[in-house]
Every structure is written in C-alpha cells, then in structure tokens.
Amino acid sequence: MGLFGDKTASWFQRGNRVLVNGVSSGFRYWGDDATVVIERGQGAYIFDMDGKRYIDYHLGFGPVILGHGHPAVAAAVAEAAGEGTTFAMTTRREIEAAEKVKEAVGYIEAMRFTNTGTEATLHAIRLARAATGREVIVKFEGAYHGAHDYVLFSTSGAVVSHLGSRRSPLPLQSSSGIPEAVRAMVRTVPFNDLDAMELLLRTDGHHVAALLVEPMLGNFFGLVPQPGYLEGLRRLADEHGCLLIFDEVKTGFRVALGGAEELFGVSPDLGTFAKAMGNGFPVAAVGGRQAVMDVWAGGGVTQAGTYSGNALSAAAAAATIDVLATGEPYAAIEKTGSALLDGLVRICADHGVPAQGVGHPSMVGLFLGEAPPRDFRDVVNHDEDLYGRVVMGMIRRGVFPVDDAREPMFLSAAHTDEDIATTLTAFEDALVEELG
Ligand SMILES: Cc1ncc(COP(=O)(O)O)c(C=O)c1O
C-alpha cells in the first residue's frame, strides 16, 4: 500500500507523465508510491489530493514562517499582481522591501534582491572572489547552500566514511555533472572545529576568498555553533584577509528578525537570505558591509536577474517583514517550538530511546543518539532508520515533518498548542509502533 490515498497516487501518476519523476525539484521525489501531491495549504496545515489534512512541519523546507496563505501577505501580493509584476526596472515596492530588510538585519548596509537561495549564494561567492581577488571558498561538512556547482560538496547526504580525516577533509561532489576542476576551488571543514579551520587557513589562507557558513546547520538538525565558534571564525577570517559569509537562507528572519547576528552576536561581511523573508514567495537577497557591496557598484562584477526584485516577491517580503517585526510570531514560535522539542525528547526518554534535542524552537532537531552531535560526522551515531520509520508513521497519522532524517522540523506562527499536543501523540504512537 502506498503512503498516500488513491486520488493523490493517481495525481502523482498524472504528474509523472509530464514532470520528471513527477516533481520540479529532485528532493521531492520519495518513490513512485510515496510522492505526495498537495492541493492547498492553510495556516499550519496542508491538504493532499485526497483532502487529507496534515500538520505541516515541512513548511516548504522552512520558508512559511507565518503559515500558509497568510492573509496580509496574500493581500499584498494580490494588490501587486494587479499592477504589473516584472519590469526589469527598479520599483517602489522593491525599495520599500529593501528598506525593511536593511532595518531588520543589523549588518546589512547595502543589498540586492535575487529570487532563490541558490542565486544568492552564487552571487555572494562571486562578489567575495571579486572583492578579494582569490578563488577558494571554504564550506562546512553537512551544509547545503543551493544547487549550483560551487557549493554541492560534502552536503548533508554525504557518507561520513568518505569525508577523509578531520585534518585533511576531502570535498565530495554531491552530484554527478560537477566538473572536477571546481573541486580545486572548494575546501570543506567540520563545523564547530576551530582547530581544523585554523590549520586549513595556516596552509592555504592566502587562496581563500570566503568562509561560507550556515550559522546554524539548517539542513542538519538545526545544529547550533558552540560558544565562541562563530567569534573564532570571525577572527580567523580577519587574520587571513578572507570574508565571512553567513548563509542565512534558513536562519534569516526565522531564528530572529535580525537573524543569526541577533541570536549569536557575531557579524559577517556578507549574508544571504531567502525562505522566511517572503513567507514562501520566491524572494532572496545578498547584503552586507558597504565596502564589500560597493564592489558591485564599481561595475565589472556581474549580478543580474530578470525577475530579481519583481513586484510580487517584493510585496511578499515587505508584508512578511511587517508582521514579523511585531515580534508576535517569534513569541508564538518560541512557546510552541520549545514545547515540541521538550515533548519529543521526553517521549523518547519514556520509551528508553536515547535522544537529544538540537536546534532552536523555530527549527527543531531530534537526534536519536546517546550524546548531542557536535558536527556532521556525528550523524553516524543517529538512528536514522528508526527516525525515518517514525516519520512515515507520523505522516500516516496526519503530521508532516521533513522526511529527511537529518533535517529539523520547522515551526510557523500558525501552529497552536493543540497542534503540538496532536503532534506529540502522533509521534508517540508511531514510535511505539516501530519499537514493537
Ligand atoms: C542554507 C541554505 N542555503 C541555500 C539554499 C538554497 O535555496 P533555494 O532552494 O531557494 O535555491 C538552501 C535551501 O534549502 C538552504 O537551506
């Protein structure tokens, strides 16, 4: 029997005749009998083609921080749509949205919009290379920064035993089709390991344009930096003349209005934003210190995009940030997310399953192991098999976490205390079923 109902399965078959594997992004395909087709979303819920309702902790891999179809965002976008969407010229809405982004994020002195996180990291990397005259980018094992060639190395699907030693990590292509020559421009290091970073920069620092870091590993349980770690990266970047880039595609506007800087008190040179900034509309940005952003102003460094700053995305971002700036969504998520995290860990303890709560109330990671993970390599101590089976049991019971056993669950301001209680019951029932 498939994971979803008959109508959903038949819509998948129909989709499969026109879309490769029935999807528009490879991560969405879970197999011919387990790929969902969604009819609509409302608040904290999504509905499949059978009309079955799920409490949604996938939230499109994180963007939908206010809940699906939020009225203020929908109204702003509808109004903009009636007035023309794409001019490939600067618009009033784009300027208004940029002012709100700048006001929210302390380290943004100047910025430009893009459409996706992938574009944002691509442009941030090119900008960093142009600003420093160097080519190498350092990224962290287990971090995902989008689907372009320069960052698809040692991402969270990597096999740990293939990553090489900590002192000399091997950057592993996460996809066929990435030229071998690109690998020479990428170094990978374990997160939360300043010694490894120091060693790399001591030997190779003069080639490094930027350290590209997710301040919390949003694709790996929402893992947080150890105290002093981001400060250490800041210091090392300064000592070696490279830029520090925070990829805030997941943390931005999610963990706090001011993103990781507000949470951890460390400022990068550049940041990339997307996801929660537009509550699910395709809007992204690169922003940072004026001196670095001015490299674009000087010309000769290409940043472009027909749809960048389009009216719909700008309207969505402005409306989303207005709601987030009231602080109410963050207060709600703090409460429900903490209750979820505590509840998951407690239920595991009740049933003798070793578990660690990881992440943040807005990004809840449950690591099924004896000790908290410090970096991606610790994934070998996580019971992925049990976690994956429990997630399938939750989906059958109407609760939708991200299926990937290494991803956190995302919270929105629309989740209620009752949703959390229902979720914990579904989790416990699924766990008990799997434990036999
Ligand atoms: C941290 C991070 N950076 C970049 C991206 C790429 O964003 P997009 O899927 O919008 O291209 C993602 C996507 O999940 C992400 O999590």
Side-chain angles (χ1 to χ4, degrees):
M1 201 183 77
L3 186 57
F4 301 103
D6 290 346
K7 278 194 189 157
T8 303
S10 110
W11 269 94
F12 169 75
Q13 293 305 336
R14 184 169 159 182
N16 203 20
R17 288 195 281 275
V18 281
L19 298 166
V20 176
N21 284 350
V23 296
S24 294
S25 174
F27 298 125
R28 297 176 197 167
Y29 176 68
W30 302 1
D32 280 3
D33 58 355
T35 298
V36 71
V37 179
I38 295 295
E39 167 78 54
R40 67 189 178 90
Q42 186 183 10
Y45 311 119
I46 50 176
F47 300 83
D48 70 14
M49 298 307 291
D50 288 273
K52 180 172 170 183
R53 192 190 87 163
Y54 304 85
I55 304 173
D56 185 15
Y57 296 97
H58 191 300
L59 298 179
F61 288 117
V64 191
I65 190 161
L66 299 177
H68 294 282
H70 188 276
V73 181
V77 170
E79 187 190 309
E83 296 178 3
T85 56
T86 296
F87 307 97
M89 290 181 247
T90 300
T91 64
R92 164 180 69 82
R93 287 192 167 86
E94 184 182 348
I95 294 169
E96 287 167 353
E99 286 170 350
K100 291 176 197 292
V101 174
K102 184 176 168 185
E103 170 80 23
V105 182
Y107 62 85
I108 293 190
E109 294 171 354
M111 59 167 284
R112 273 188 186 164
F113 283 115
T114 68
N115 303 286
T116 66
T118 296
E119 270 181 88
T121 59
L122 177 78
H123 284 303
I125 286 172
R126 184 180 297 150
L127 183 60
R129 286 177 167 150
T132 58
R134 302 170 176 182
E135 290 196 340
V136 171
I137 297 297
V138 180
K139 78 169 287 288
F140 295 78
E141 292 170 354
Y144 179 74
H145 301 289
H148 64 81
D149 287 358
Y150 288 120
V151 289
L152 272 183
F153 287 86
S154 304
T155 53
S156 66
V159 177
V160 171
S161 58
H162 296 175
L163 291 174
S165 76
R166 284 183 164 279
R167 291 177 65 83
S168 182
L170 302 171
L172 296 183
Q173 273 106 328
S174 310
S175 167
S176 296
I178 298 176
E180 189 56 27
V182 174
R183 190 209 292 264
M185 287 167 237
V186 179
R187 302 280 186 281
T188 48
V189 282
F191 190 65
N192 271 333
D193 186 341
L194 270 187
D195 291 344
M197 180 60 84
E198 212 153 357
L199 181 67
L200 185 156
L201 290 177
R202 225 182 302 132
T203 51
D204 227 4
H206 55 296
H207 293 305
V208 174
L211 315 182
L212 173 63
V213 66
E214 266 193 283
M216 291 168 58
L217 295 192
N219 297 276
F220 186 70
F221 302 94
L223 186 67
V224 294
Q226 291 183 337
Y229 182 64
L230 293 179
E231 289 84 345
L233 293 184
R234 176 71 275 174
R235 175 179 54 78
L236 288 172
D238 290 342
E239 280 173 19
H240 292 272
C242 36
L243 300 185
L244 181 63
I245 306 175
F246 279 0
D247 179 358
E248 298 227 50
V249 166
K250 274 194 172 152
T251 55
F253 295 93
R254 170 161 281 286
V255 297
L257 187 66
E261 182 189 60
E262 186 177 328
L263 199 61
F264 300 117
V266 176
S267 310
D269 299 295
L270 291 177
T272 52
F273 295 82
K275 302 212 176 205
M277 184 167 72
N279 201 46
F281 282 86
V283 58
V286 179
R289 285 199 297 116
Q290 190 76 50
V292 182
M293 302 306 292
D294 278 349
V295 173
W296 272 342
V301 183
T302 299
Q303 182 277 326
T306 301
Y307 301 106
S308 295
N310 73 80
L312 299 189
S313 299
T320 301
I321 296 170
D322 279 348
V323 180
L324 290 174
T326 64
E328 286 166 23
Y330 296 112
I333 289 171
E334 170 78 32
K335 183 162 169 275
T336 49
S338 303
L340 178 63
L341 192 56
D342 294 348
L344 294 171
V345 173
R346 178 181 41 76
I347 290 166
C348 287
D350 288 349
H351 294 279
V353 175
Q356 314 294 327
V358 188
H360 181 266
S362 67
M363 241 192 251
V364 167
L366 183 68
F367 185 88
L368 298 185
E370 298 282 353
R374 173 178 172 223
D375 61 46
F376 172 68
R377 293 179 181 228
D378 286 333
V379 74
V380 294
N381 302 319
H382 170 52
D383 192 340
E384 290 195 83
D385 182 51
L386 176 60
Y387 186 93
R389 285 185 285 122
V390 170
V391 163
M392 291 304 140
M394 292 171 79
I395 291 174
R396 285 196 189 87
R397 290 169 172 82
V399 176
F400 216 119
V402 179
D403 64 307
D404 180 341
R406 301 170 180 192
E407 279 261 349
M409 295 165 75
F410 297 98
L411 272 289
S412 82
H415 286 90
T416 62
D417 295 345
E418 200 186 330
D419 292 329
I420 302 301
T422 307
T423 300
L424 291 174
T425 303
F427 175 75
E428 184 159 23
D429 291 349
L431 183 67
V432 168
E433 185 176 70
E434 290 307 326
L435 293 175

